[in-house]
């Protein structure tokens, strides 16, 4: 529908030219009052929940797409269940978790302040700030604390917060950059004009010019510098004032003190008609700091763009099939159970199962797999993947935050906002950094005051400006953000920064064989029958029992029976004997299947037919009514690249251990197939894996355990760092530190290289930031460095740290 060229938002009353939307999304096609982009999102949720009367009273102060510097007046809306459903995750323990977009974060001191202020609130379990993305990950107990109270607390210490969503990110970045550009341009205009005046003043002084003219230029400089200080420097002044009111210190405090002291001294000189004014210094260093912050914001966005790239995979619209044919709707209106049509070239709108069609789907943006994956009836599809050559119909199963794409984004964001242990150095320094800066500046001023007031003022201002923990605070988060994003792009999902640090220290790898080094798709390769029972009859009995279980060996036997079109018999009392096998009653017969331990349990281990099979597969013994009737041989093929991976790891001097539940004979065959110095341990029960991990750790080894995340959870938890093999777009493994998307084993080497390079980069960044302060702070205290040079050096140090972090991509790619 059309919109007027100029109209006001129905809810917030703000005049908006163009870009308006029909209130409530024009759901029924009837002309409604208009919404601005910010009110529209909440408006839709409230309207569809039948709460229009309440929302008519809500007055949002600015667009949600671009959160304002001041917190919106009505925060109670974010406590409504209907609104929270859009952005709050309910944890298994009943706590709520949300990601808030924070405006006003500039440095590590801001991070420390926000985490301390919110983390101390009763009911808050976790408060973790992502400096690179300017987001707060908050987890709280809803019965003890409301989200609006947390947001009020943030407002009280000087930070505006809104719930995070993709549109809010884009709008906030654009709005913030636009405001920064305006302030920077205003300061630049003032700096350019005041510089000409300064040149005229210096030229007049050297040529014995007219003192009255010099005084006139002083007042002109005052007129230019005053609006620059309070408009362009406004964020620093307001940030410092709010910090002082909250009895906290951030980096706005020393910048504001330096600017106000230099400006105040210049005003005093002007009023007293004295010679030395430094309006040009105030305006120029504000301009340079704003330029640095703008470049820093662009660099951060580029360095940590992985989540934005993933978010862009989610389509906006979908084609739903209903009683009246095709219907083009917004993705957010899709519900579980809907049937959607995915045309060639379309993105899959949600997670689900193919109900009709045959095509190939590009999953490379999610998993890094280079080849399209064949999809047909019964195959699973993931949101964000791209359909190939033919249309598909899909039954929707998971939407919104329940999709694989959403879980991947959550994992990447959690990793980017997490901390490595090495960051504890910076965390211990930052709280004292601002106080130390003020003390050093005061000492510098007192030292030089006895010699020269001008020198004392400029030296103290230089110390206040140049001593900044920004580079120190960015050293670790930027490296982790880049590494986590680059890993996700290549099919390696890292759960937290500490995992990257542990990966760098690994010297021994432990593999679970089934589903890791092998494909995890068992197949029957042989069957031997003892006695008079028919082979098909025995296989039918065995398959009828195994169909009650989901173990790979059980599926292999069931598939073998299906291939022979052997029907299923009634099965009762099916149960599992841990580490031995399964038992049950099939068609009136007591049937048992398992390994040698099962034979011992049944008293059949001394049977004359029991012999060790001479291959690398698994042997499943079958007993019917207490008599040994036969055995089935099952094998699992090694994954492509498994032998090459182990050979390369040995070449790099990593220790290798492979754990398998197969017999000792089968383990011996596997050891021969793998070659080299690989330790293969057979007859390993699930609990034995944990014991083996403990033994290796007691030997002083730094372990990486790689499993399938199914029955390896205890062993994965005991290793220094754990890695689970994903399956396509399955990222449901909660027990591992790293998830490999897809089946390409070469990503193990990539993950190791990523961890090593990330830790190396973090150490380099910490060294750069510490060297910067160690070298330049004494120079500022010695009055060698001017405030303008300090304003240039401060952002340059941050840009160096960010640039070094970005190089992780190139360095890992070249390994």
């Amino acid at each position: 529908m059309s919109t007027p060229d100029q109209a006001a938002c129905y809810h917030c009353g703000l005049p908006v030219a163009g870009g308006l939307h029909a209130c409530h999304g024009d759901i029924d096609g009837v002309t409604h009052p208009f919404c601005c982009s910010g009110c529209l999102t909440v408006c839709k949720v409230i309207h569809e929940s039948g709460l229009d009367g309440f929302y008519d009273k809500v007055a949002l102060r600015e667009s949600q797409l671009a959160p304002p510097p001041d917190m919106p007046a009505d925060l109670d809306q974010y406590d409504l269940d209907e609104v929270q459903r859009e952005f709050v995750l309910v944890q298994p323990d009943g706590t709520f978790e949300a990601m808030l977009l924070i405006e006003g974060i500039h440095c590590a001191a801001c991070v420390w302040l926000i985490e301390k202020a919110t983390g101390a609130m009763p009911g808050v379990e976790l408060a973790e700030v992502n400096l690179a993305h300017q987001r707060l990950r908050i987890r709280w107990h809803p019965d003890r604390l409301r989200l609006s109270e947390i947001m009020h607390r943030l407002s009280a210490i000087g930070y505006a917060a809104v719930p995070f969503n993709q549109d809010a990110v884009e709008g906030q970045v654009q709005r913030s950059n636009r405001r920064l550009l305006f302030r920077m341009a205003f300061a630049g205009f003032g700096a350019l004009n005041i510089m000409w005046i300064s040149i005229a003043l210096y030229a007049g002084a050297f040529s014995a010019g007219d003192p009255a003219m010099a005084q006139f230029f002083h007042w002109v400089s005052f007129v230019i510098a005053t609006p620059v200080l309070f408009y362009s420097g406004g964020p620093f002044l307001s940030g410092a004032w709010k910090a002082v009111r909250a009895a906290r210190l951030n980096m706005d405090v020393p910048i504001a003190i330096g600017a106000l002291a230099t400006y105040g001294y210049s005003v005093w000189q002007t009023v007293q008609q004295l010679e030395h004014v430094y309006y040009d210094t105030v305006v120029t260093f504000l301009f340079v700091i704003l330029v640095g912050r703008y470049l820093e914001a662009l660099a951060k966005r580029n360095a940590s763009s992985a989540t934005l790239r993933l978010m862009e995979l989610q389509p906006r619209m979908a084609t739903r099939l209903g009683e009246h044919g095709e219907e083009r709707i917004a993705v957010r209106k899709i519900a579980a159970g809907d049937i959607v049509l995915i045309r060639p070239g379309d993105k899959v709108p949600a997670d689900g199962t193919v109900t009709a069609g045959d095509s190939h789907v590009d999953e490379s943006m999610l998993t890094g797999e280079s080849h399209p994956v064949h999809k047909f009836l019964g195959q699973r599809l993931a949101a964000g993947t791209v359909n190939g050559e033919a249309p598909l119909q899909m039954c929707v199963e998971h939407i919104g935050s329940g999709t694989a794409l959403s879980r991947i984004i959550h994992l990447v964001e959690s990793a980017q906002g997490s901390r490595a242990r090495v960051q504890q150095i910076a965390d211990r320094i930052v709280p004292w950094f601002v106080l130390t800066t003020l003390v050093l500046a005061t000492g510098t001023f007192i030292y030089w005051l006895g010699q020269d007031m001008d020198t004392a003022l400029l030296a103290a201002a230089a110390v206040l400006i140049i001593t900044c923990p920004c580079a120190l605070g960015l050293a670790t988060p930027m490296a982790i953000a880049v590494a986590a994003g680059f890993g996700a792009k290549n099919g390696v999902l890292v759960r937290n920064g500490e995992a990257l640090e542990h990966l760098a220290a690994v010297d021994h790898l432990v593999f679970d064989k089934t589903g890791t080094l092998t494909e995890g798709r068992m197949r029957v390769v042989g069957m031997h029958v003892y006695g008079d029972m028919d082979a098909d009859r025995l296989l039918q009995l065995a398959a009828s029992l195994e169909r009650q279980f989901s173990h790979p060996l059980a599926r292999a036997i069931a598939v073998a029976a299906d291939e022979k079109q052997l029907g299923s018999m009634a099965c009762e009392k099916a149960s599992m004997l841990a580490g031995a096998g399964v038992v049950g009653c099939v068609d009136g017969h007591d049937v048992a299947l398992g390994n040698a331990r099962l034979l011992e349990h049944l008293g059949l281990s001394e049977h004359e037919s029991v012999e060790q099979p001479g291959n690398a597969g698994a042997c499943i013994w079958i007993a019917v009514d207490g008599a040994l009737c036969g055995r089935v041989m099952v094998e699992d093929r090694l994954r492509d690249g498994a032998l090459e991976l182990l050979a390369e790891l040995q070449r790099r001097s990593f220790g290798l251990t492979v754990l398998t539940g197969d017999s000792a004979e089968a383990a011996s065959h596997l050891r021969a197939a793998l070659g080299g110095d690989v330790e293969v341990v057979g007859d390993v029960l699930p609990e034995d894996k944990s014991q083996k991990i403990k033994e290796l750790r007691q030997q002083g080894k730094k372990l990486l355990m790689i499993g399938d995340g199914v029955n390896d959870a205890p062993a994965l938890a005991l290793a220094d760092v754990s890695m689970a093999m994903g399956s396509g777009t399955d990222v449901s493994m909660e027990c591992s530190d790293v998830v490999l998307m897809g089946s390409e084993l070469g990503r193990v080497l990539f993950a190791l290289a990523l961890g090593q390079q990330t830790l190396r980069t973090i150490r380099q960044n910490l060294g750069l930031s510490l060297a910067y302060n160690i070298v330049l702070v004494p120079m500022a205290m010695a009055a060698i460095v001017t405030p303008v040079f300090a304003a240039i050096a401060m952002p340059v140090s941050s840009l160096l740290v960010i640039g070094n972090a970005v190089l992780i991509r190139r360095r890992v790619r070249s390994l």
Side-chain angles (χ1 to χ4, degrees):
M1 65 181 291
S2 60
T3 60
D5 294 333
Q6 181 71 32
C9 175
Y10 173 60
H11 300 289
C12 66
L14 291 176
V16 186
L20 293 176
H21 308 271
C23 188
H24 314 317
D26 194 19
I27 294 172
D28 53 10
V30 179
T31 302
H32 291 284
F34 291 98
C35 282
C36 67
S37 299
C39 294
L40 180 66
T41 301
V42 178
C43 178
K44 283 182 178 179
V45 178
I46 300 294
H47 173 73
E48 293 169 4
S49 304
L51 300 175
D52 300 67
F54 168 82
Y55 191 62
D56 287 343
K57 301 177 182 178
V58 175
L60 298 178
R61 299 286 305 194
E62 283 279 352
S63 163
Q64 183 180 346
L65 282 175
D70 296 324
M71 188 68 70
D74 193 340
L75 297 179
D76 292 338
Q77 58 181 306
Y78 297 118
D79 294 328
L80 293 173
D81 293 339
E82 293 78 9
V83 177
Q84 288 191 352
R85 193 177 298 127
E86 294 289 310
F87 62 90
V88 171
L89 295 175
V90 181
Q91 302 299 313
D93 60 359
T95 58
F96 284 8
E97 182 175 315
M99 194 75 73
L100 301 181
L101 192 63
I102 309 295
E103 186 172 7
I105 300 178
H106 301 301
C107 63
C110 299
V111 173
W112 178 83
L113 174 59
I114 292 172
E115 290 182 344
K116 292 296 182 183
T118 55
M121 298 181 70
V124 172
E125 188 173 291
L126 172 71
E128 195 170 70
V129 174
N130 184 332
L131 177 60
H133 290 154
Q134 296 189 337
R135 298 175 204 164
L136 168 64
R137 180 183 171 204
I138 191 83
R139 188 183 303 151
W140 73 98
H141 293 271
D143 55 339
R144 299 174 58 191
L145 187 68
R146 293 181 298 159
L147 180 59
S148 59
E149 294 177 295
I150 298 174
M151 299 172 75
H152 275 299
R153 178 60 177 151
L154 288 167
S155 179
I157 60 174
Y159 300 94
V162 293
F164 166 79
N165 60 55
Q166 181 180 357
D167 291 334
V169 170
E170 292 299 322
Q172 190 265 359
V173 169
Q174 294 173 9
R175 175 68 173 266
S176 178
N177 286 348
R178 185 165 58 249
R179 283 202 304 268
L180 193 55
L181 273 174
F182 286 156
R183 296 182 191 278
M184 184 177 68
F186 191 80
F189 176 79
L192 181 65
N193 284 278
I194 210 168
M195 195 59 67
W196 287 112
I197 296 174
S198 298
I199 292 173
L201 283 172
Y202 292 135
F206 293 140
S207 58
D210 185 2
M213 183 60 67
Q215 187 64 23
F216 171 75
F217 279 134
H218 287 172
W219 282 108
V220 173
S221 298
F222 166 79
V223 171
I224 296 174
T226 301
V228 170
L229 173 65
F230 291 101
Y231 173 67
S232 296
F236 306 114
L237 301 179
S238 62
W241 172 244
K242 290 178 180 178
V244 171
R245 285 180 57 194
R248 307 275 186 177
L249 295 177
N250 60 19
M251 279 313 300
D252 287 337
V253 173
I255 292 176
I257 291 175
L260 289 173
T262 307
Y263 172 81
Y265 177 72
S266 300
V267 170
W268 181 77
Q269 287 276 318
T270 302
V271 171
Q272 296 296 320
Q273 298 186 5
L274 301 176
E275 297 181 9
H276 302 292
V277 296
Y278 298 98
Y279 296 116
D280 55 338
T281 299
V282 176
V283 173
T284 303
F285 90 67
L286 284 174
F287 171 66
V288 172
I289 289 177
L290 289 170
V291 170
R293 286 202 171 177
Y294 182 72
L295 295 176
E296 192 176 310
L298 294 180
K300 285 180 184 177
R301 178 177 171 80
N302 177 64
S304 55
S305 59
T307 50
L308 291 179
R309 178 187 64 84
L310 288 170
M311 290 175 188
E312 290 168 358
L313 297 179
Q314 177 65 57
R316 301 288 186 179
M317 304 294 292
T319 302
R320 182 169 61 188
L321 300 179
E323 296 179 358
H324 304 292
E326 297 180 7
E327 179 187 9
R328 194 71 174 163
I329 62 172
V331 167
R332 62 183 299 274
K333 292 185 179 180
I334 295 176
D338 286 348
I339 302 297
V340 296
L341 174 65
I342 308 163
R343 294 187 173 90
D346 283 355
K347 291 180 180 178
V348 178
D351 287 4
T353 303
V354 176
T355 58
D358 190 304
S359 184
H360 287 78
V361 173
D362 182 5
E363 297 181 345
S364 59
M365 294 298 286
L366 283 181
T367 68
E369 295 283 359
S370 56
H371 301 292
V373 181
H374 187 203
K375 300 292 184 180
F376 48 90
L377 181 65
Q379 292 283 296
R380 295 183 60 81
L381 297 175
T385 56
V386 182
N387 187 23
E389 70 280 3
L392 293 171
Q393 292 184 22
M394 179 187 76
C395 179
V396 175
E397 295 178 356
H398 301 288
I399 59 175
S401 60
T403 64
L405 176 60
S406 295
R407 295 199 301 273
I408 290 173
I409 292 173
H410 181 71
L411 279 173
V412 174
E413 288 179 340
S414 297
Q416 291 179 332
S418 64
R419 285 169 166 76
R421 288 186 301 174
V422 70
Q423 190 177 353
Q424 294 174 3
I425 300 173
D427 290 343
R428 285 195 295 266
I429 293 174
V430 165
W432 301 98
F433 210 101
V434 177
L435 180 61
T436 303
T437 299
L438 297 177
V439 171
L440 291 176
T442 303
T444 301
F445 181 81
I446 293 172
Y447 175 81
W448 288 105
L449 185 60
Q451 178 176 335
D452 182 4
M453 177 64 179
D454 292 353
T455 302
L457 179 67
L458 293 180
V463 172
L464 288 169
I465 297 166
I466 207 167
T467 310
C468 180
C470 298
L472 188 64
L474 287 170
T476 298
M478 285 310 306
I480 291 176
V482 172
F486 187 53
K489 183 178 180 181
N490 289 274
V492 176
L493 300 180
V494 181
R495 194 169 297 279
N496 52 53
E498 192 171 342
L500 287 168
E501 186 177 0
H502 284 311
L503 278 172
V506 166
D507 57 19
H508 195 101
L509 286 82
V510 180
F511 291 88
D512 177 56
K513 190 205 76 170
T514 303
T516 305
L517 289 178
T518 62
E519 294 179 345
R521 293 194 293 268
M522 297 288 189
R523 57 191 178 93
V524 175
V525 295
M527 183 173 180
H528 297 272
V529 179
Y530 309 127
D532 299 330
M533 183 173 290
D534 179 71
D536 286 348
R537 169 69 173 172
L538 183 61
L539 180 59
Q540 188 179 22
L541 288 170
S544 297
L545 174 58
E546 293 286 28
R547 285 191 180 97
Q548 313 304 313
F549 305 95
S550 59
H551 191 278
L553 293 174
R555 289 196 298 268
I557 294 176
V559 167
D562 291 339
E563 290 175 350
K564 291 190 174 186
Q565 298 182 348
L566 301 177
S568 181
M569 300 178 180
C571 180
E572 299 176 346
K573 302 178 182 178
S575 62
M576 181 179 292
L577 300 177
V582 295
V583 295
C585 182
V586 180
D587 195 29
H589 298 281
D590 292 329
V591 180
L593 289 86
N595 54 26
R597 296 187 188 90
L598 178 68
L599 297 184
E600 294 178 4
H601 178 75
L602 298 176
L604 298 174
S605 58
E606 302 299 327
H607 194 281
E608 59 182 9
S609 299
V610 175
E611 57 186 41
Q612 289 298 330
N615 58 47
C619 176
I620 301 176
W621 302 97
I622 307 174
V624 179
D625 293 330
L628 184 61
C629 294
R631 72 170 188 253
V632 176
M633 302 307 303
V634 181
E635 285 186 350
D636 189 7
R637 196 172 72 89
L638 286 174
R639 289 184 187 270
D640 294 336
L643 295 178
E644 292 79 359
L645 169 66
L646 296 178
E648 178 62 22
L649 290 171
Q650 290 182 80
R651 190 185 69 80
R652 299 186 185 185
S653 301
F654 285 100
L656 298 174
T657 299
V658 177
L659 306 179
T660 175
D662 297 342
S663 65
E665 181 85 12
S668 178
H669 281 275
L670 178 62
R671 185 183 301 109
L674 297 178
D677 297 326
V678 181
E679 178 189 15
V680 180
V681 183
D683 286 320
V684 178
L685 297 173
E687 56 268 26
D688 295 335
K689 296 177 184 179
S690 301
Q691 185 59 38
K692 184 63 178 179
I693 295 296
K694 291 179 181 178
E695 292 175 3
L696 291 171
R697 292 196 65 181
Q698 288 172 358
Q699 297 172 18
K701 301 183 185 297
K702 300 297 183 181
L703 297 183
L704 166 59
M705 171 71 183
I706 307 175
D708 60 9
V710 179
N711 62 356
D712 306 315
L716 289 170
L718 286 174
D720 293 286
V721 60
S722 56
M723 186 179 293
M725 297 291 295
S727 175
T729 53
D730 180 13
V731 290
S732 60
M733 282 70 71
E734 298 295 334
C735 55
S736 61
D737 301 310
V738 182
V739 177
L740 301 186
M741 303 291 291
S743 57
E744 188 178 336
L745 283 172
R747 289 178 182 150
V748 174
L749 293 173
F750 173 85
L752 290 170
L754 185 66
Q756 293 165 356
Q757 187 56 55
T758 301
L759 185 60
R760 190 178 300 121
T761 301
I762 289 173
R763 288 171 175 169
Q764 291 171 352
N765 284 349
L766 289 173
L768 280 171
S769 57
L770 291 173
Y772 160 83
N773 285 288
I774 290 172
V775 172
L776 291 183
V777 171
M779 293 178 66
M781 296 177 68
I784 298 174
V785 172
T786 66
V788 174
F789 179 86
I792 296 173
M794 184 179 68
V796 166
S797 65
S798 297
L799 291 173
L800 285 174
V801 166
I802 296 172
N804 192 44
V806 171
L807 290 177
I808 289 177
R809 301 168 182 166
R810 181 179 300 177
R811 291 165 179 165
V812 173
R813 194 180 292 119
S814 64
L815 293 176

